[in-house]
Amino acid sequence: MRDENCIFCKIANGEIPSATVYEDDGFRVILDMGPASKGHALILPKSHAADLGAADRETAEKLFPLAARIGSAMKAGLGASGFNVVQNNGTSAGQTVFHLHVHVIPRYEGGPSMVAWTPGSAEPEELAQTAAKISAAL
Ligand code: 5GP
Ligand code: ZN
């Protein structure tokens, strides 16, 4: 399924040219136009889903193996020493393009810290209550 107004549908299906790293029947992997580091890639499913929660299972379960493959190729091909796999769902999580995509960001020795947060604190009781709320909604 495609969304005529979606830029990532157009890129994934080849209507808009992109620096393509990989393509198969279900996915296109392109370079991000605003890279966090050299080689920053986006895995785009060819079928439209707004985010991970909306994706079909077949698509979702292929994303991590593909991210691992792309990350390994970044290490072998670009000399990266590691990589981050980042996937944003919803505006509050930083999603700006509402077509499911996975960022694969190569990291280099001595490079800046990019994907980080300040650890908070929580009592064991609060952790248990929060875990129970999520569990109950599964
Ligand atoms: P999000 O914040 O939604 O997780 O990530 C969207 C990403 O898509 C951003 O990193 C942005 O630079 C990238 N992006 C947005 N539009 C385009 C485009 O037209 N071409 C490419 N190559 N990247 C794009
Ligand atoms: Zn789309």
Side-chain angles (χ1 to χ4, degrees), residues 27-69:
F27 297 89
R28 182 185 295 269
V29 181
I30 66 167
L31 292 188
D32 195 298
M33 69 179 188
S37 66
K38 185 182 174 69
H40 179 168
L42 300 172
I43 300 175
L44 310 180
K46 290 187 175 179
S47 64
H48 182 87
D51 61 19
L52 188 58
D56 61 74
R57 191 186 179 108
E58 191 191 345
T59 299
E61 66 190 15
K62 288 178 178 164
L63 287 172
F64 256 96
L66 186 51
R69 220 176 135 193

Side-chain angles (χ1 to χ4, degrees), residues 1 4 11 30 35 45 47 61 71 73 85 95 102 115 125 131-132 134 138:
M1 288 267 274
E4 290 306 318
I11 293 174
I30 66 167
S47 64
E61 66 190 15
V85 177
Q95 186 177 9
V102 174
V115 183
E125 191 179 328
I134 300 170
L138 285 172

Side-chain angles (χ1 to χ4, degrees), residues 1-3 5-10 45-49 98-100:
M1 288 267 274
R2 300 215 352 225
D3 178 335
N5 299 313
C6 173
I7 184 145
F8 278 6
C9 277
K10 293 190 172 82
K46 290 187 175 179
S47 64
H48 182 87
F98 293 88
H99 174 122
L100 171 62

Side-chain angles (χ1 to χ4, degrees), residues 110-130:
S113 171
M114 279 183 281
V115 183
W117 56 86
T118 305
S121 62
E123 296 299 326
E125 191 179 328
E126 188 195 338
L127 292 177
Q129 286 172 359
T130 304

